[in-house]
Amino acid sequence: MTSTHLFTGDASPYGGGDPYADYRTTEFPFTHLPGLADLAGRSLGAAVIAANDEFFADRENLLKPGPAEFDPERFGHKGKIMDGWETRRRRGTSAAAPHPTEEDHDWALVRLGAPGVIRGIVVDTAHFRGNYPRAVSVEAASVAGAPAPEELLADDVTWTTLVPRTVIGGHAANGFAVGEERRFTHLRVNQHPDGGIARLRVYGEVAPDPAWLTTLGTFDLVALENGGAVRDASDRFYSPATNTIQPGRSRQMDDGWETRRRRDTGHDWIHYYLTGQAEIRAVEIDTGYLKGNAAGWAALLGRDGEQGEWSELLPRTRLQPDTVHRFLPAHAPAVTQVRLEIFPDGGIARLRLHGSLTADGLRQLTERHRQLGG
């Protein structure tokens, strides 16, 4: 199933002013599914590890955070400098056959930041108006370890088509829903026959390796890279709640989660899924870079399953701005979900929940891993 029918066809030439004024996009349904993250995010460790051609613009631009930028006066020795991945124009074999064949195409290999089940892909051609590909296709593979490009391109690697060759539009967000219930580690993005793509976004669920987590023993149960996920949040006004479970410490204020200022007597919260059923033994709440806008107090609740009763893991506790807070809960019941509540509003940078899977949690995660082909 694809969602590109609104965006096929040519884009208009740039006419000056705001370059995004005629940009075509929509709300894709898969971007709002609970628990999804950009598996191709650089913050998660994703990379474009190879491309057959990047004559005009570097392949690494595909995974840059934020929207593509456009400077109409920026040129270099090779031509217009674009904020995306752009290949040279393909040509045929002779004057009698000047056009590329139907099989001619350019490709880039993407290592996902974490293995996962892909629910949707956005191929963004922002600012590529007369130089976007006629069509794109996307394939996926599951290869253990850290394979080199030549290993991924070997004949014994099985590639599964997630997006068949599909005509797309220029200067547009071209979205594709994916229904393949398997765990993948790498993508091959193809553009037919040539051209440029500004950004690639891959929405999916992280599917960690149970053997790795078992070996670790104690690990961060809510970390995105370990299969933790945000189910919902009361407010996403300034920044997404998923930032709180990204790898590493926050690097600036908008790298955390911040809500709008409340003018009522309520409070804000984030609801998380853990990697699996687990026991939480240590809690870290980091308010890094949040100084005049950090949450005043925080509490942590947990429950087992969708119908379980919420129990208090951490009582309402005072927070300090720009500080890492560490707590040892008095008891550690088996839980699969947690709810971080902040009072009355503000933000936190990171949440870390250190613990280990229960026997049931490990069994369920292992069975899920097997079902996904891991």
Side-chain angles (χ1 to χ4, degrees):
M1 174 183 176
T2 64
S3 304
T4 61
H5 58 282
L6 296 176
F7 310 131
T8 53
D10 294 333
S12 300
Y14 175 60
D18 179 8
Y20 273 106
D22 60 343
Y23 175 71
R24 294 169 291 176
T25 187
T26 190
E27 291 289 328
F28 299 112
F30 51 78
T31 63
H32 298 291
L33 294 175
L36 296 195
D38 182 6
L39 301 179
R42 282 291 294 160
S43 62
L44 199 55
V48 185
I49 61 175
N52 72 305
D53 187 296
E54 46 186 328
F55 185 87
F56 286 114
D58 297 339
R59 65 181 191 256
E60 287 86 358
N61 290 336
L62 279 174
L63 307 188
K64 285 171 63 176
E69 299 179 356
F70 180 71
D71 182 348
E73 299 181 356
R74 192 179 180 206
F75 286 82
H77 291 294
K78 293 182 179 180
K80 183 73 186 73
I81 297 175
M82 298 293 290
D83 185 13
W85 168 50
E86 185 181 5
T87 67
R88 73 193 77 202
R89 299 187 187 217
R90 282 184 169 268
R91 296 290 184 251
T93 56
S94 67
H99 301 97
T101 69
E102 280 296 305
E103 290 72 34
D104 287 341
H105 68 279
D106 293 318
W107 52 264
L109 294 177
V110 177
R111 183 191 67 233
L112 299 179
V117 181
I118 298 169
R119 302 302 184 190
I121 295 173
V122 175
V123 177
D124 189 346
T125 57
H127 315 304
F128 287 92
R129 297 169 179 268
N131 52 348
Y132 62 94
R134 172 64 177 165
V136 298
S137 61
V138 182
E139 302 161 274
S142 182
V143 182
E150 56 270 23
E151 294 174 297
L152 289 171
L153 296 173
D155 293 338
D156 61 346
V157 174
T158 300
W159 291 91
T160 299
T161 299
L162 301 186
V163 178
R165 182 168 173 168
T166 306
V167 174
I168 62 168
H171 196 44
N174 301 275
F176 305 87
V178 176
E180 192 73 27
E181 197 70 17
R182 292 183 56 192
R183 178 182 186 267
F184 295 109
T185 60
H186 294 79
L187 297 184
R188 183 162 61 188
V189 181
N190 306 304
Q191 45 181 348
H192 308 269
D194 53 37
I197 299 170
R199 296 288 189 269
L200 176 73
R201 303 295 185 234
V202 182
Y203 296 91
E205 305 158 8
V206 175
D209 183 353
W212 174 255
L213 298 180
T214 302
T215 301
L216 292 177
T218 297
F219 60 92
D220 184 357
L221 299 160
V222 77
L224 189 60
E225 60 191 316
N226 293 333
V230 170
R231 177 178 181 180
D232 200 2
S234 61
D235 189 292
R236 301 176 177 85
F237 189 85
Y238 286 112
S239 46
T242 304
N243 283 355
T244 61
I245 55 176
Q246 291 280 0
R249 291 204 66 198
S250 174
R251 293 165 294 177
Q252 57 189 32
M253 190 173 71
D254 67 350
D255 194 21
W257 171 61
E258 182 187 359
T259 72
R260 73 191 80 195
R261 300 187 188 212
R262 279 190 170 267
R263 298 300 186 230
D264 58 22
T265 57
H267 67 278
D268 290 313
W269 50 265
I270 306 176
H271 185 175
Y272 299 92
Y273 289 122
L274 302 184
T275 305
Q277 188 189 66
E279 296 176 350
I280 299 169
R281 299 190 182 89
V283 176
E284 291 187 29
I285 301 175
D286 184 357
T287 56
Y289 290 97
L290 294 159
K291 299 180 179 180
N293 50 355
W297 292 263
L300 188 68
L301 308 176
R303 74 176 181 185
D304 187 23
E306 296 296 331
Q307 306 302 321
E309 294 292 328
W310 290 101
S311 62
E312 185 178 83
L313 304 179
L314 180 71
R316 192 179 302 188
T317 304
R318 187 75 169 95
L319 299 181
Q320 298 299 323
D322 197 25
T323 301
V324 176
H325 308 77
R326 294 189 171 99
F327 309 99
L328 300 176
H331 66 296
V335 296
T336 59
Q337 303 174 35
V338 297
R339 179 181 168 109
L340 177 71
E341 300 186 335
I342 63 171
F343 303 87
D345 55 26
I348 66 165
R350 296 289 188 269
L351 174 69
R352 305 296 186 211
L353 303 177
H354 304 285
S356 56
L357 295 170
T358 64
D360 281 348
L362 177 59
R363 177 183 56 78
Q364 293 171 6
L365 192 66
T366 302
E367 176 60 20
R368 174 69 170 155
H369 188 68
R370 184 192 65 78
Q371 293 173 350
L372 296 175

